[in-house]
Amino acid sequence: MRTKISMITTLCMAATIDAFPGMGNTLQALSSIVKRQEIPKTELLADLKILPDSELTPVGKAIKAILQINRTAGPPQDFDTVYTVPGPLGSPECKAETCCMWKYVADEMATVFKGPSGRCTDLARGVVRLGFHDAGTWSKTAGGGGADGSFILAQEIMRPDNRGLENITNVMEDWYNKWHKHGAGMADLIQMGATIAAVSCPLGPRIRSFVGRNDSSIPSPEGRLPETNQDAEALIALFEDKTIVQGELISLLGAHTVSQQRFEDPSRAGDPQDSTPGVWDVKFYPETTSDHTPQRVFKFKSDVTMAEHPRSQELWTLFSDPERGPGAWAQVTYIRLSILGVEHINNLVECTGVLPLRVSNFTSTDETELESFLESKSAPMSEEAVKLLEGEVL
Ligand code: HEM
């Protein structure tokens, strides 16, 4: 009880000084989980572990601060920076700036990540998951894998873990064929795609985004991605081996706020994981633990077991709070995830300015239709489910 009282006091103090409303709450709750686990809460990665501060580039310093959850020196989101291209694609002015080509890539991706309803599309959800499945094969203890583009370059789509990613794999191959000659690598296309997609979803985060990863066509080791039938302790251990602690895993799971499963239960293909698919709100959190969700909301066993784990509850409750949750759900971990296995983090280049701006208010125009779909009897890939996948108005 004493711990709880002192934590609430600290939470309130953190909230008053934070640059992003509520984010201090998350950081505090994250650190409390980490403290109990006695795991370094801010583990550095790759070259950032060995380079002295005097040898860090501005990007190296920023990423180090992000990984160390130093929110003053390293805020994980940037809502304002806008990159303006100095010239047309292929011009000498454009070639002289790394981010210039990425602005053209981002503009093209953004057109297919948002549907006519304003919700984000199947491709957007697909690339967020793809970003995880490319980078998440990395292991701290066993090495190998990581954000290296091998998912596509080594055709990892053939693995059962990756079912559901066929569509985005085909599109990503096309993008690579188009953009590689302008200098884009596969690993960067995937991770930039993930952050461009996240912010294309209404209410989505504008996560700081970096390029300069090396590509690899060596297949990543198998068996390193989570399964829905694993229990919470197994999932926590799996992610800790990627330097992602329990609180950070809870934050990442929130990506299921936009998703619609197809292969977990094919008889319910198209059913969403919360009542607002394609919208990056926090409803996933309370609905995963509620007994009163609309009948088509399909909960993954892994999300439920994580929510019910005793050490998850403080953070899960915070994220579920309609007032504090949206601001508190910081996106620090996406940056950690997106650079797993990258050896030369200090040499990356920041191109956050190329991302679309965040949509911070969203009201759907088809709320009544959505509600009746959510209460309807499950029919695999019903017309409404397909429209939702494509971000269309119901
Ligand atoms: C315990 C960890 C996790 C498990 C067991 C898990 C499992 C799944 C499953 C079974 C699906 C449905 C695939 C389908 O049927 O089409 C899915 C979808 C999705 N997952 Fe996860 N996931 C986990 C963590 C994550 C993380 C860390 C992220 C992102 C950082 C993520 C992002 C997504 C997204 C965006 C979708 C929707 C994909 C789409 O609509 O095509 N997941 N996940």
Side-chain angles (χ1 to χ4, degrees):
M1 179 54 102
R2 199 175 296 155
T3 327
K4 271 215 154 144
I5 291 169
S6 71
M7 178 156 324
I8 290 165
T9 316
T10 337
L11 288 180
C12 296
M13 284 168 58
T16 57
I17 55 164
D18 204 81
F20 302 106
M23 192 170 121
N25 298 5
T26 319
L27 301 174
Q28 193 64 40
L30 276 178
S31 359
S32 81
I33 284 177
V34 169
K35 201 167 157 198
R36 276 176 240 156
Q37 288 176 311
E38 292 176 0
I39 288 172
K41 69 167 184 183
T42 53
E43 193 161 342
L44 291 176
L45 295 164
D47 53 347
L48 296 186
K49 279 203 291 211
I50 43 175
L51 288 172
D53 282 356
S54 58
E55 288 181 32
L56 291 182
T57 60
V59 166
K61 280 188 191 136
I63 298 180
K64 182 172 179 180
I66 290 167
L67 296 178
Q68 292 186 319
I69 318 187
N70 175 345
R71 57 187 181 278
T72 312
Q77 297 195 63
D78 175 345
F79 300 117
D80 306 316
T81 305
V82 172
Y83 177 82
T84 308
V85 292
L89 183 66
S91 65
E93 298 80 7
C94 190
K95 282 183 182 165
E97 293 185 14
T98 306
C99 296
C100 180
M101 180 267 301
W102 285 105
K103 173 68 178 148
Y104 288 98
V105 172
D107 287 352
E108 177 174 343
M109 288 183 170
T111 60
V112 293
F113 286 162
K114 196 184 282 293
S117 65
R119 291 186 282 260
C120 57
T121 60
D122 190 31
L123 283 175
R125 274 95 57 114
V127 75
V128 171
R129 184 167 175 235
L130 176 62
F132 166 45
H133 282 223
D134 192 37
T137 53
W138 183 75
S139 155
K140 177 172 80 164
T141 50
D148 60 7
S150 67
F151 186 102
I152 312 271
L153 297 172
Q155 301 190 346
E156 294 171 13
I157 188 62
M158 310 308 281
R159 301 177 182 177
D161 290 351
N162 296 328
R163 271 181 321 176
L165 291 168
E166 297 77 6
N167 198 7
I168 186 64
T169 294
N170 292 336
V171 173
M172 193 54 80
E173 278 170 357
D174 291 346
W175 279 333
Y176 181 74
N177 291 336
K178 174 170 180 184
W179 292 107
H180 186 54
K181 54 181 174 288
H182 295 286
M186 185 65 91
D188 287 338
L189 277 170
I190 293 173
Q191 298 305 329
M192 287 298 286
T195 53
I196 294 162
V199 75
S200 300
C201 301
L203 316 185
R206 196 165 188 258
I207 302 161
R208 291 179 72 184
S209 302
F210 304 90
V211 295
R213 297 166 188 80
N214 289 338
D215 282 353
S216 168
S217 48
I218 299 170
S220 60
E222 296 199 43
R224 292 191 175 172
L225 292 170
E227 289 171 15
T228 48
N229 59 8
Q230 286 178 289
D231 66 20
E233 291 297 344
L235 292 169
I236 293 164
L238 180 77
F239 278 82
E240 278 176 3
D241 188 45
K242 307 179 195 306
T243 72
I244 293 170
V245 296
Q246 184 172 349
E248 294 177 318
L249 170 56
I250 294 169
S251 162
L252 285 178
L253 289 179
H256 291 159
T257 189
V258 289
S259 82
Q260 285 171 264
Q261 72 87 31
R262 275 157 296 188
F263 294 95
E264 185 61 12
D265 180 350
S267 74
R268 292 185 54 181
D271 280 3
Q273 278 58 75
D274 76 4
S275 59
T276 50
V279 181
W280 203 288
D281 55 16
V282 293
K283 287 195 176 163
F284 160 79
Y285 289 104
E287 293 184 3
T288 299
T289 49
S290 165
D291 294 330
H292 306 290
T293 38
Q295 64 169 352
R296 290 198 75 136
V297 170
F298 180 99
K299 300 172 193 180
F300 296 145
K301 270 169 69 184
S302 45
D303 290 337
V304 175
T305 185
M306 280 303 301
E308 288 174 348
H309 189 274
R311 287 201 309 268
S312 297
Q313 281 171 11
E314 187 174 0
L315 198 55
W316 207 281
T317 307
L318 174 62
F319 289 161
S320 300
D321 183 324
E323 295 299 317
R324 298 180 306 153
W329 184 22
Q331 312 295 336
V332 179
T333 323
Y334 278 87
I335 297 165
R336 177 180 292 279
L337 181 67
S338 75
I339 52 173
L340 293 180
V342 174
E343 292 299 333
H344 52 279
I345 296 170
N346 198 36
N347 297 340
L348 296 179
V349 173
E350 178 161 12
C351 288
T352 312
V354 309
L355 267 56
L357 289 173
R358 178 169 191 262
V359 176
S360 54
N361 282 305
F362 180 72
T363 313
S364 70
T365 55
D366 50 6
E367 215 154 306
T368 315
E369 292 80 356
L370 183 59
E371 272 171 28
S372 78
F373 161 72
L374 290 166
E375 292 300 353
S376 65
K377 204 165 170 293
S378 291
M381 278 309 176
S382 61
E383 198 186 317
E384 290 84 356
V386 174
K387 280 187 173 175
L388 281 168
L389 279 172
E390 299 307 329
E392 287 176 19
V393 181
L394 289 185

